Amino acid sequence: MSKGVNNEGIKIIGGLVCKTVRNSPSAEREIKFLEELIHKNIAKIVESNVGFMFTNIYIKKYDYDLTDYARITDGYNVKDLFTQLTVGLGYIHSKNVVHLDLKPDNIFISDGKIKIGDFGNSLYDNVDKYNNVLSYYHNELSFDTNLIDPDNKDYITPLYRPPELLVEGRAKAGKFSDIWSLGCVLYLK
């Protein structure tokens, strides 16, 4: 989302970023959560179009992602940015949503304001709401329902994944996963 970025499937159109993805549960979740989560620290969805095979998700364009911002900005206020990030994540968790892919590439900045984006891996933390459990078993994710894309093995980027989800055995991802990822973002920045 940063200046000059034009990754495959990403187009900059005026003040908007158009993310084109294959139709999938991940695309549906991203649209759903971006529409539901209205907050000053959450990326703003402008429009979405679901086609036969692809979905276009239009969000407001932000100047940088956190990776680029840290690289080009000397002496930025880490405490202020981290506070904004914590407030945004607190809001997400207050809505009983778990982000599950919090990392610098999914944190956007414009005019010193943090916006959390990319909700394609996000889930409700309330297991009873959809009888939905996300679990990690023997280094592969297994899913109890088809609400989660079973072909996507990239839930929680490994560098930001809590240790209990890295070891053999079964552990459920939850809000603690986002808190761990948040700490990793602070440590790495």
Side-chain angles (χ1 to χ4, degrees):
M1 222 63 85
S2 57
K3 288 182 177 175
V5 170
N6 191 7
N7 298 327
E8 187 174 311
I10 304 282
K11 296 177 190 163
I12 310 296
I13 305 169
L16 299 178
V17 173
C18 176
K19 178 178 176 182
T20 301
V21 294
R22 286 198 174 277
N23 290 345
S24 67
S26 177
E28 292 172 22
R29 282 193 307 276
E30 181 153 13
I31 293 167
K32 177 180 180 30
F33 287 121
L34 283 171
E35 289 176 344
E36 281 183 14
L37 299 171
I38 308 300
H39 187 267
K40 65 182 180 181
N41 297 116
I42 306 295
K44 181 177 175 21
I45 188 169
V46 176
E47 184 180 342
S48 63
N49 301 56
V50 180
F52 178 68
M53 291 180 57
F54 294 94
T55 297
N56 292 320
I57 302 169
Y58 298 88
I59 66 168
K60 183 182 179 300
K61 182 183 177 300
Y62 300 101
D63 293 336
Y64 307 99
D65 63 29
L66 187 57
T67 302
D68 290 341
Y69 190 77
R71 188 178 313 124
I72 66 167
T73 308
D74 291 329
Y76 64 94
N77 188 335
V78 174
K79 183 178 176 182
D80 178 52
L81 295 179
F82 192 71
T83 299
Q84 291 180 57
L85 187 54
T86 304
V87 168
L89 185 60
Y91 171 77
I92 293 168
H93 287 177
S94 78
K95 298 300 183 182
N96 221 18
V97 173
V98 185
H99 189 279
L100 295 177
D101 199 19
L102 200 59
K103 60 186 180 183
D105 293 346
N106 294 337
I107 300 166
F108 310 115
I109 302 175
S110 280
D111 300 322
K113 304 296 180 204
I114 289 277
K115 305 291 182 178
I116 301 170
D118 196 348
F119 286 83
N121 290 346
S122 299
L123 299 170
Y124 286 105
D125 195 38
N126 183 349
V127 177
D128 295 331
K129 187 161 187 172
Y130 289 113
N131 193 22
N132 179 6
V133 177
L134 172 64
S135 62
Y136 190 89
Y137 186 70
H138 293 290
N139 295 326
E140 287 191 358
L141 292 171
S142 60
F143 306 100
D144 291 340
T145 73
N146 63 2
L147 292 174
I148 302 168
D149 183 357
D151 295 325
N152 184 351
K153 304 293 187 209
D154 297 326
Y155 284 86
I156 312 177
T157 303
L159 187 58
Y160 303 93
R161 192 177 293 159
E164 55 269 33
L165 297 182
L166 292 171
V167 297
E168 283 190 30
R170 187 178 174 120
K172 297 175 188 173
K175 292 176 183 172
F176 75 89
S177 308
D178 286 346
I179 301 300
W180 178 271
S181 299
L182 185 69
C184 291
V185 168
L186 176 64
Y187 177 76
L188 294 173
K189 293 298 146 200

